[in-house]
């Protein structure tokens, strides 16, 4: 005689937990699904339900010179912002976490402040500052502005890694004969890298999707993709917008995936 | 392997200008000695070790190793080995890369690095683990990697900061044997920080018992256990009875007391509790007046002869009640 296998009793709490997660996931993914539907629907205006599947809006997006120029501008601005943000952000985070700076809490708040100020105010303020100081609106001004709002993300993620950092690991390297400079490059930098690059992903996306700050700082014929899309939407509301959104989403996603592959954002979680 | 003597000469360290972590400590550690710094947390043992390593700079006093004053030498030029309680392995490097690190910093040629890493891993019985990452190893294995990493550079001095503290009891005992054996075989001077008195007694050639930033007593394990100089040392190491005789304090180990008939005994009382400990039984005896006494009855085969409620007499030799200072 063998005992009947134990059935797992129905667990209402677990069911509710799964349902809540499904709901949240749906809430996050549904808008993307809707955009995808519009991007593939061939009707010349945004409508529901879709009547078919076509790539005409993607074709329109990729053959439109204005869209393409804006896409390339946005991509390379975001790339430069990524590089600048991780260098500045990681340096800031190290100084805040390691340097015995007076008024560290105040300094941290100061470096984080671009996150608190509405981006549209940051854009307006920079616009006026650039105008008054005669800088005008060069591309590097735009990059500086994006970097300003992107750096706090890198500081945040790097500080999080530094917070859990076992400094004995650096001491072990020093005892073994590593000078302070070598300790930094052999141990500190490799270990904070996941945090730095996680912030870098945010920095790239913050720049690539940046609208309010860019709005004030771009010049005609030198507009980033979100600004071009906004202008386009003022007159046409067709599937090209949806197609452009899909391209943006896919680009951002591929940046995340490439960084994950190259650096392993989840690497050495146990620090 | 060469080994070096270490001398701390009236070393003092305060933190934030207030807390006296180490208060004018002088220690002479012989070359090739297994020397333990023993004491409760906050007694200054770790700070002393960190001053030998160079992580802390003494406010006053000098540190000498091998006859050279190294007080102002930066950590990375001191040529020491160190093992940490948290192991502090490089999580992003393999076992072999961890062990090779010190050799790489010394710019040892690559073939020699490979040879010495292999030898060091063989020494700690970790051959075959070269390509693992530290995260894939057990605590005991990680500790052995840390040991190999410290010893592969053949340092004259090995510093250990509670290296076995994170291991479970059985493994810790095994590692105690291994570490001691390794130290004797290599002849390296080993400074061992611990708060575990049994560990210090088992492993050390000599022990410095520290309290409140000061050294209370330095001696061999037997001296420290049998002849504690201060009440703190007597209390900190093992069980102890403190007696007052003619205004002087005396320390009497529980195993030095014999159980005799109550009549005519030096002290008589009633057994209050009896804790069976396997190899021995620890009794608490309450005399008619005065504080209760701990008595250890060792038994070869038989269980304890006394039970709670029994009337017993206590006897001991005068020489076993050690006079304490102060």
């Amino acid at each position: 005689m063998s005992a009947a296998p134990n059935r797992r009793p129905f667990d209402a709490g677990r069911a509710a937990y799964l349902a809540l997660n499904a709901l949240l996931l749906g809430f996050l993914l549904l808008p993307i699904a809707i955009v995808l539907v519009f991007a593939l629907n061939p009707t010349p205006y945004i409508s529901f339900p879709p009547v078919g599947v076509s790539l005409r809006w993607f074709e329109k997006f990729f053959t439109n010179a204005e869209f393409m120029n804006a896409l390339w501008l946005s991509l390379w601005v975001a790339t430069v912002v990524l590089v600048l943000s991780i260098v500045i952000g990681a340096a800031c985070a190290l100084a805040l976490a390691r340097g015995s700076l007076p008024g560290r809490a105040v300094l941290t708040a100061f470096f984080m402040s671009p996150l608190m100020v509405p981006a549209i105010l940051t854009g307006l303020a920079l616009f006026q500052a650039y105008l008054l100081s005669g800088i005008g609106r060069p591309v590097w001004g735009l990059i500086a502005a994006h970097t300003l709002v992107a750096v706090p993300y890198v500081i945040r993620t790097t500080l999080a890694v530094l917070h859990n950092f076992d400094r004995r690991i650096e001491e072990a390297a020093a005892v073994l004969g590593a000078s302070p400079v070598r300790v930094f490059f052999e141990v500190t930098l490799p270990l904070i890298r996941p945090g730095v690059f996680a912030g870098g992903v945010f920095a790239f996306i913050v720049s690539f999707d940046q609208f309010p700050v860019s709005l004030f700082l771009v010049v005609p014929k030198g507009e980033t993709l979100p600004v071009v899309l906004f202008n386009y939407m003022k007159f046409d509301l067709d599937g090209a917008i949806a197609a452009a959104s899909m391209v943006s989403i896919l680009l951002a996603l591929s940046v995340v995936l490439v960084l994950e592959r190259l650096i392993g954002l989840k690497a050495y979680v146990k620090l | 392997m060469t080994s070096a003597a270490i001398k701390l000469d009236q070393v003092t360290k305060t933190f934030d200008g207030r807390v006296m972590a180490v208060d004018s400590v002088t220690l002479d550690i012989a070359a090739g000695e297994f020397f333990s710094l023993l004491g409760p947390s906050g007694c200054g043992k770790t700070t002393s070790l960190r001053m030998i390593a160079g992580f802390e700079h003494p406010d006053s006093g000098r540190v000498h190793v091998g006859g050279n004053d190294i007080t102002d030498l930066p950590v990375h030029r001191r040529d020491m080995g160190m093992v940490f309680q948290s192991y502090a392995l490089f999580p992003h490097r393999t076992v072999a890369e961890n062990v090779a690190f010190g050799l790489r910093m010394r710019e040892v040629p690559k073939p020699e690095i490979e040879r010495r890493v292999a030898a060091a891993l063989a020494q700690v019985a970790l051959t075959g683990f070269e390509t693992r990452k530290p995260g894939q190893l057990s605590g005991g294995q990680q500790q052995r990697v840390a040991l190999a990493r410290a010893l592969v550079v053949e340092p004259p001095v090995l510093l250990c900061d509670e290296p076995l503290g994170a291991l479970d009891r059985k493994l810790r005992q095994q590692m105690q044997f291994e570490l001691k054996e390794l130290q004797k075989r290599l002849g390296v001077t080993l400074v061992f920080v611990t708060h575990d008195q049994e560990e210090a007694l088992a492993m050390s050639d000599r022990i410095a018992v520290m309290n409140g930033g000061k050294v209370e007593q330095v001696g061999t394990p037997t001296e420290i256990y049998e002849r504690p100089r201060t009440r703190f040392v007597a209390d900190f190491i093992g069980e102890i009875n403190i007696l007052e005789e003619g205004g002087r304090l005396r320390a009497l180990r529980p195993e030095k007391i014999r159980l005799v008939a109550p009549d005519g005994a030096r002290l008589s009382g009633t057994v209050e509790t009896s804790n069976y400990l396997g190899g021995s039984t620890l009794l608490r005896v309450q005399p008619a007046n005065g504080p209760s006494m701990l008595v250890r009855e060792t038994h070869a085969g038989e269980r304890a002869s006394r039970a709670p409620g029994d009337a017993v007499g206590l006897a001991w030799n005068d020489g076993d009640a050690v006079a304490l200072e102060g």
Side-chain angles (χ1 to χ4, degrees):
Chain A
M1 210 176 99
S2 64
N6 286 332
R7 291 282 277 291
R8 198 193 173 123
F10 177 75
D11 185 339
R14 191 180 153 77
Y17 172 76
L18 287 175
L20 181 68
N21 272 289
L23 208 67
L24 284 173
L25 210 59
F27 182 72
L28 290 172
L29 291 180
L30 205 61
I32 298 177
I34 291 170
V35 171
L36 183 64
V37 167
F38 287 149
L40 294 173
N41 186 11
T43 54
Y45 43 87
I46 286 185
S47 71
F48 202 84
V51 297
V53 173
S54 97
L55 291 176
R56 63 177 285 202
W57 300 120
F58 284 94
E59 194 191 333
K60 181 173 179 184
F61 175 73
F62 281 113
T63 53
N64 180 313
E66 202 186 347
F67 280 144
M68 282 304 99
N69 289 338
L71 178 63
W72 286 122
L73 178 66
S74 282
L75 273 178
W76 83 259
V77 165
T79 307
V80 176
V81 168
L82 164 78
V83 173
L84 289 176
S85 302
I86 60 178
V87 173
I88 298 170
C92 279
L94 276 167
L96 289 170
R98 295 289 178 78
S100 39
L101 305 169
R104 189 156 61 174
V106 177
L107 277 175
T108 308
F110 174 73
F111 283 117
M112 290 295 163
S113 61
L115 289 184
M116 328 291 177
V117 179
I120 195 137
L121 287 184
T122 308
L124 181 64
L126 284 169
F127 170 68
Q128 295 200 316
Y130 284 3
L131 219 61
L132 287 172
S133 54
I135 292 170
R137 286 181 288 178
V139 179
W140 65 259
L142 181 70
I143 289 172
H146 282 194
T147 305
L148 180 76
V149 287
V151 160
Y153 291 93
V154 182
I155 296 181
R156 200 26 41 114
T157 52
T158 309
L159 277 178
V161 175
L162 284 170
H163 185 72
N164 298 317
F165 198 102
D166 180 4
R167 298 209 63 184
R168 301 275 184 264
I169 296 173
E170 292 170 312
E171 293 184 349
V175 177
L176 287 166
S179 64
V181 174
R182 289 204 84 164
V183 171
F184 180 77
F185 284 104
E186 297 269 357
V187 178
T188 316
L189 199 56
L191 290 183
I192 65 171
R193 202 170 55 179
V196 175
F197 279 101
V201 170
F202 283 118
F204 182 90
I205 292 169
V206 162
S207 168
F208 189 72
D209 287 346
Q210 187 55 247
F211 175 68
V213 172
S214 301
L215 188 61
F216 291 96
L217 299 175
V218 294
V219 289
K221 300 283 165 208
E223 293 155 327
T224 57
L225 189 59
V227 178
V228 169
L229 291 178
F230 177 73
N231 289 336
Y232 184 84
M233 265 196 291
K234 284 196 283 196
F235 305 105
D236 303 275
L237 199 60
D238 61 23
I241 293 293
S245 306
M246 281 316 294
V247 171
S248 295
I249 291 167
L250 289 175
L251 276 172
L253 191 65
S254 45
V255 169
V256 173
L257 291 178
V258 165
L259 281 178
E260 161 64 32
R261 255 293 145 83
L262 288 180
I263 292 121
L265 294 178
K266 285 177 297 188
Y268 356 105
V269 177
K270 198 186 134 201
L271 278 179
Chain B
M1 190 181 274
T2 54
S3 63
I6 302 168
K7 184 177 171 62
L8 295 187
D9 188 10
Q10 296 191 21
V11 166
T12 293
K13 178 76 186 170
T14 50
F15 286 114
D16 305 327
R18 298 176 286 114
V19 190
M20 189 73 94
V22 173
D23 187 358
S24 191
V25 162
T26 297
L27 287 174
D28 270 300
I29 302 170
E33 192 173 24
F34 194 125
F35 193 93
S36 289
L37 298 171
L38 173 67
S41 60
C43 72
K45 58 189 192 296
T46 295
T47 306
S48 300
L49 189 80
R50 290 174 65 79
M51 284 192 285
I52 300 175
F55 295 128
E56 311 287 352
H57 192 264
D59 300 340
S60 63
R62 310 302 293 178
V63 181
H64 301 264
V65 170
N68 303 314
D69 185 338
I70 60 157
T71 316
D72 300 318
L73 208 61
V75 179
H76 65 280
R77 298 227 204 92
R78 292 195 178 197
D79 194 28
M80 292 182 179
M82 185 152 179
V83 179
F84 299 83
Q85 180 174 11
S86 61
Y87 317 132
L89 297 175
F90 308 128
H92 57 302
R93 296 181 189 279
T94 64
V95 167
E97 286 167 348
N98 264 278
V99 177
F101 190 86
L103 297 172
R104 208 152 56 72
M105 292 303 118
R106 285 163 176 74
E107 279 157 19
V108 173
K110 218 170 168 205
E112 195 190 331
I113 291 185
E114 280 171 23
R115 193 171 49 71
R116 283 170 71 176
V117 167
L121 284 176
Q123 202 161 46
V124 295
L126 279 178
T127 306
F129 287 83
E130 287 82 356
T131 56
R132 304 267 193 102
K133 290 275 177 71
Q136 300 168 292
L137 303 180
S138 71
Q141 289 167 338
Q142 290 187 44
Q143 191 52 278
R144 295 215 289 268
V145 175
L147 204 54
R149 181 179 68 175
L151 289 173
V152 75
V153 298
E154 300 184 353
V157 169
L158 179 63
L159 308 174
C160 295
D161 188 6
E162 308 237 3
L164 310 179
L167 304 176
D168 62 56
R169 197 181 154 79
K170 199 93 189 176
L171 194 56
R172 198 162 69 214
Q173 221 157 43
Q174 186 195 330
M175 287 294 293
Q176 285 175 5
F177 282 118
E178 283 183 26
L179 184 58
K180 182 155 188 182
E181 232 170 76
L182 200 60
Q183 185 266 337
K184 284 293 165 240
R185 196 164 72 232
L186 300 174
V188 63
T189 311
L190 198 155
V191 186
F192 190 89
V193 160
T194 182
H195 65 269
D196 182 336
Q197 35 114 358
E198 278 181 39
E199 195 165 271
L201 291 176
M203 302 176 77
S204 319
D205 295 322
R206 282 194 306 151
I207 301 170
V209 182
M210 294 187 69
N211 180 35
K214 287 184 160 66
V215 174
E216 293 262 339
Q217 187 173 356
V218 181
T220 64
T222 323
E223 284 167 1
I224 296 281
Y225 186 80
E226 301 282 346
R227 301 269 154 227
R229 235 182 35 213
T230 64
R231 178 165 190 162
F232 177 82
V233 174
D235 258 336
F236 191 73
I237 318 271
E239 281 87 27
I240 197 78
N241 296 296
I242 303 288
L243 312 169
E244 210 184 320
E245 281 179 7
R248 277 211 84 166
L249 291 181
R250 289 180 177 275
L252 180 62
R253 294 285 175 200
E255 65 271 20
K256 304 286 185 190
I257 302 178
R258 295 184 305 278
L259 292 173
V260 295
D263 296 329
R266 198 162 184 159
L267 202 64
S268 60
T270 317
V271 176
E272 262 195 343
T273 49
S274 159
N275 289 349
Y276 178 62
L277 302 173
S280 64
T281 298
L282 198 62
L283 303 168
R284 198 167 75 210
V285 176
Q286 181 61 58
N289 46 37
S292 63
M293 300 279 287
L294 288 173
V295 181
R296 190 187 300 278
E297 193 184 19
T298 47
H299 29 77
E302 288 286 315
R303 280 274 335 238
S305 57
R306 314 297 158 115
D310 288 357
V312 291
L314 308 181
W316 62 86
N317 300 336
D318 281 335
D320 288 333
V322 181
L324 300 174
E325 284 175 9

